[in-house]
Amino acid sequence: MAPYESDEATGAGQGEDLPTGRRKAARYVVPVAVVGVAAATIGLVPALADSGSPDLPKITAQQLIEKIAKSDVQQLSGTVKVSTDLGLPNLGGLESSLASGAARGGDGSSADPKSKLTELVSGTHTLRVATDGPDRQKLSLLESGSEYSLIHDGRNVWGYDSKSNEVFHGTAADSGKEHRAEPPATPKGFADEALKSVDDTTSVTVDGTAQVAGRDAYKLLIKPRQSGSTVGAISIAVDAKTGMPLKFTLTPKSGGAAVLDAGFTQVSFAKPADSTFDFTPPKGAKVTEEKKEAKAPGHTPRSGEDFTQGLQGANVLGKGWTSVATFDTGAKGGMPSGSEGGAFGGFLGSLGDHVSGKFGKGTVFSTRLVNALITDDGKVYAGAVTKDTLVKAADEAK
């Protein structure tokens, strides 16, 4: 378990000094992972209200974190609502173009999970989820008059888009590798990422009790102690019986609506019917098989590949909630603009703030949570930190 430090607990628990220590600075992973998962799979309603404050036995922050760690829910089904509000601008019809580009960059099918990413970056979405052990999960995204389903059953992974009547078929990781025992994009997935980052730069308290999806829960409150972070607080509602997170809410330091609010509106821990995970491509559906092509010598990565490869090899500057990930894209000249970048380059340039410092010149792109500085010499600095913190990190790295 990660070391952490507790303030005095309120509500359901009593405060105590918890063990402190250090772990590799990876705080930037929390918001980035949250945004990535939200983009990859979901959305929740900020208006999902807690109903009542049940009278539960007192518990400390340390005991509640241990309860989450020991939770071993293997079977469940339910409905999850997620709402993401990163403060991204209205891109008009650009989302559709990006979605089409994502599909082309993947395997060319609207049923490929990659083609759903841009649809889920913002707004509210409803999902049905089910799991039966580590090798059987199903997630269905309910849309107006249509449904998208992602099914994992043993070695097979199926994606089905009822709107286009297209099917995507892929293969899961080797059976010898560890699988998640719950559907993606549940509150547990978000909570696990947040708890990895708890250390001595963090305040952890028990913040009373609540009822979520008809179940009694404790509320764990996580707050950065450092200035310079864009994270205000993370609240996790933990099922009092099973220890499974039922709701996850991340609010920005700037205030306003939650950046991410994900929670069950209905949940059952009974075994789902075996038929839940059955899938046969409908008659007449277009089926696309996953492509697994080896990169040939001399292969030139696309810009998206450059970014992904760079992030995987990122260095981490600083500690705790003000950690900044940095990597070199190898691309010189910064963001394209004017005649060089065309209309799209000019549009991107208009979204950012031009900054300068010891590092040189660059552009900062901001959301309500994650900010990124792209310098004119091709370096990227990103994290859940303020613009000033990014510029400072770039100057100190020079």
Side-chain angles (χ1 to χ4, degrees):
M1 184 187 308
Y4 51 89
E5 181 177 339
S6 173
D7 288 342
E8 282 198 357
T10 61
Q14 298 297 320
E16 63 176 37
D17 290 332
L18 301 178
T20 61
R22 298 189 179 188
R23 56 184 295 117
K24 182 179 178 181
R27 186 73 67 258
Y28 77 94
V29 173
V30 178
V32 171
V34 167
V35 172
V37 175
T41 16
I42 52 312
L44 186 276
V45 185
L48 185 67
D50 301 329
S51 54
S53 300
D55 185 13
L56 296 173
K58 291 184 182 295
I59 192 170
T60 66
Q62 179 176 356
Q63 289 169 338
L64 188 52
I65 290 179
E66 289 173 352
K67 190 176 185 69
I68 296 172
K70 293 176 182 177
S71 178
D72 188 29
V73 173
Q74 293 291 315
Q75 298 169 330
L76 69 81
S77 59
T79 302
V80 176
K81 285 195 173 182
V82 183
S83 167
T84 50
D85 182 5
L86 293 170
L88 297 174
N90 185 344
L91 302 181
L94 185 59
E95 293 98 329
S96 298
S97 300
L98 291 174
S100 298
R104 289 193 297 271
D107 291 298
S109 169
S110 67
D112 186 335
K114 298 185 188 72
S115 70
K116 291 293 176 180
L117 299 185
T118 56
E119 297 179 23
L120 302 167
V121 171
S122 63
T124 297
H125 305 273
T126 301
L127 299 97
R128 291 198 185 108
V129 298
T131 185
D132 182 12
D135 293 318
R136 302 181 88 188
Q137 296 99 30
K138 180 177 181 179
L139 180 149
S140 296
L141 172 63
L142 309 182
E143 301 172 315
S144 179
S146 63
E147 180 176 318
Y148 174 78
S149 292
L150 185 63
I151 303 107
H152 169 210
D153 187 9
R155 292 282 295 167
N156 291 307
V157 175
W158 297 96
Y160 176 59
D161 183 5
S162 68
K163 188 174 183 179
S164 63
N165 198 29
E166 291 192 26
V167 174
F168 170 85
H169 178 240
T171 304
D174 294 338
S175 57
K177 295 182 180 180
E178 183 178 351
H179 293 291
R180 293 169 61 101
E182 75 281 340
T186 62
K188 175 173 168 50
F190 296 129
D192 286 347
E193 291 298 330
L195 290 173
K196 287 177 184 177
S197 299
V198 170
D199 62 11
D200 59 338
T201 67
T202 310
S203 161
V204 184
T205 60
V206 178
D207 190 31
T209 64
Q211 271 208 337
V212 178
R215 297 186 65 88
D216 292 347
Y218 294 102
K219 294 194 295 184
L220 188 70
L221 186 64
I222 300 172
K223 286 185 175 183
R225 291 186 181 277
Q226 298 167 298
S227 61
S229 173
T230 55
V231 176
I234 293 173
S235 177
I236 304 171
V238 182
D239 185 58
K241 185 174 181 180
T242 67
M244 177 175 164
L246 298 175
K247 186 179 180 185
F248 178 97
T249 304
L250 189 156
T251 53
K253 193 172 184 179
S254 60
V259 168
L260 176 65
D261 193 4
F264 283 95
T265 58
Q266 181 276 326
V267 65
S268 168
F269 296 107
K271 176 181 168 66
D274 289 340
S275 59
T276 302
F277 309 99
D278 292 342
F279 181 79
T280 300
K283 185 177 180 180
K286 177 184 175 182
V287 180
T288 300
E289 293 290 334
E290 179 183 21
K291 295 177 183 176
K292 295 184 177 179
E293 298 178 354
K295 294 182 181 178
H299 168 76
T300 302
R302 297 182 295 273
S303 59
E305 289 178 293
D306 289 335
F307 186 88
T308 301
Q309 291 171 359
L311 186 58
Q312 290 172 346
N315 293 318
V316 179
L317 307 176
K319 175 188 176 183
W321 295 87
T322 55
S323 298
V324 172
T326 180
F327 60 92
D328 193 340
T329 65
K332 306 298 180 182
M335 293 302 301
S337 60
S339 58
E340 179 186 353
F344 186 67
F347 172 74
L348 285 178
S350 69
L351 297 179
D353 294 329
H354 299 289
V355 296
S356 61
K358 295 179 182 178
F359 68 87
K361 295 182 179 180
T363 305
V364 174
F365 294 90
S366 301
T367 70
R368 297 176 66 223
L369 184 67
V370 179
N371 293 324
L373 165 61
I374 302 177
T375 68
D376 284 357
D377 61 358
K379 294 183 175 62
V380 175
Y381 300 85
V385 298
T386 62
K387 179 173 70 174
D388 290 344
T389 302
L390 282 180
V391 172
K392 182 180 179 181
D395 281 343
E396 291 179 349
K398 197 65 181 171

